[in-house]
């Protein structure tokens, strides 16, 4: 029975993930709205489940619990699970993007580990209803954090963001040297690509 429910939750999660993939770039949605909305809906569902848990524990109401939890599972994917790895790839400046994306990923994995162990402990000590209230509160806190702190990456001018970051990091003179070096490196890469493409066109040409 547990295996069956696991397959059901997975089957519900996949459409949410694919729907997020197809809509995340739409002008009416975007990453920030998708993440905020997902958190809000999941939080509301968890509060609802926690509030009516005595009713849901009745054997005849198992289907209602499964439906509500499947709905929450859908909005995990059509929400934060689909955006928390997209947003770090876009909002950090180029010089630190890989490092900060790695730190974001590490934070997510650490949060998953703490959450999994914490839920197991809460379930044994405080019961189902308070556990769902706590998880709902965490989801709503995620929505508030997203709304206040996360920029809408669709509206960002990445080149301007890079310049602003590097100037704050290295100062005006250091930033100018940094961008000059970056431009020389880019020109060298372009020249190498041109040379290689010409060699591909003329295999008899000597390097």
């Amino acid at each position: 029975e547990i295996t069956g429910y696991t397959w059901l939750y997975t089957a519900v999660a996949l459409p949410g993930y694919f729907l997020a993939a197809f809509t995340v770039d739409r002008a009416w949605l975007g990453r920030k709205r998708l993440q905020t909305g997902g958190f809000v809906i999941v939080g509301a569902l968890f509060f609802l489940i926690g509030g009516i848990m005595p009713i849901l524990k009745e054997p005849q109401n198992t289907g209602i619990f499964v439906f509500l939890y499947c709905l929450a599972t859908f909005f995990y994917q059509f929400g934060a699970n689909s955006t928390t790895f997209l947003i770090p790839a876009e909002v950090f400046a180029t010089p630190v993007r890989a490092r900060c994306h790695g730190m974001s990923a590490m934070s997510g994995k650490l949060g998953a580990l703490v959450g999994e162990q914490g839920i197991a402990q809460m379930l044994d000590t405080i019961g189902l209803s308070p556990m769902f209230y706590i998880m709902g509160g965490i989801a709503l806190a995620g929505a508030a954090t997203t709304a206040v702190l996360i920029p809408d990456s669709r509206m960002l001018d990445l080149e301007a963001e890079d310049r602003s970051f590097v100037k704050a990091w290295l100062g005006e003179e250091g930033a100018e040297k940094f961008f000059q070096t970056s431009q020389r490196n880019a020109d060298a890469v372009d020249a190498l690509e041109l040379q290689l493409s010409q060699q591909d066109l003329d295999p008899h040409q000597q390097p």
Side-chain angles (χ1 to χ4, degrees):
E1 186 176 359
I2 294 176
T3 302
Y5 285 135
T6 300
W7 279 107
L8 175 62
Y9 297 144
T10 302
V12 169
L14 283 174
Y17 182 83
F18 285 118
L19 182 60
F22 283 115
T23 58
V24 70
D25 288 321
R26 304 289 183 180
W28 51 269
L29 189 59
R31 289 108 167 95
K32 183 172 183 176
R33 288 177 182 172
L34 180 59
Q35 182 163 301
T36 304
F39 272 136
V40 169
I41 294 173
V42 169
L45 286 169
F46 280 166
F47 273 105
L48 175 61
I49 292 171
I52 63 173
M53 184 55 68
I55 298 173
L56 297 177
K57 284 182 177 180
E58 298 294 330
Q60 67 271 20
N61 294 326
T62 300
I64 300 175
F65 174 80
V66 171
F67 171 76
L68 291 174
Y69 197 81
C70 282
L71 200 59
T73 300
F74 176 86
F75 283 103
Y76 294 156
Q77 304 302 326
F78 189 63
N81 271 14
S82 297
T83 54
T84 48
F85 67 90
L86 283 175
I87 292 173
E90 297 174 335
V91 299
F92 294 116
T94 301
V96 295
R97 183 171 298 147
R99 182 180 304 156
C100 291
H101 197 298
M103 293 172 63
S104 298
M106 180 192 70
S107 300
K109 300 300 183 291
L110 181 61
L113 177 63
V114 171
E116 180 184 2
Q117 297 302 315
I119 287 173
Q121 296 297 322
M122 285 191 294
L123 190 59
D124 292 336
T125 56
I126 64 176
L128 278 171
S129 288
M131 183 191 72
F132 274 102
Y133 288 143
I134 291 172
M135 292 195 303
I138 292 171
L140 294 182
T145 301
T146 302
V148 174
L149 298 179
I150 303 299
D152 187 349
S153 55
R154 296 176 306 151
M155 309 299 292
L156 292 178
D157 182 338
L158 296 182
E159 185 175 348
E161 290 292 318
D162 282 353
R163 289 191 170 275
S164 175
F165 174 83
V166 173
K167 285 180 181 179
W169 178 30
L170 299 176
E172 193 76 32
E173 184 176 348
E176 190 63 31
K177 292 179 179 178
F178 175 89
F179 286 116
Q180 287 175 357
T181 302
S182 298
Q183 187 61 52
R184 285 197 299 270
N185 292 339
D187 292 342
V189 170
D190 290 340
L192 180 60
E193 289 180 347
L194 178 60
Q195 180 182 356
L196 293 175
S197 64
Q198 290 173 344
Q199 290 178 5
D200 290 338
L201 292 174
D202 185 5
H204 300 294
Q205 181 181 352
Q206 294 297 320

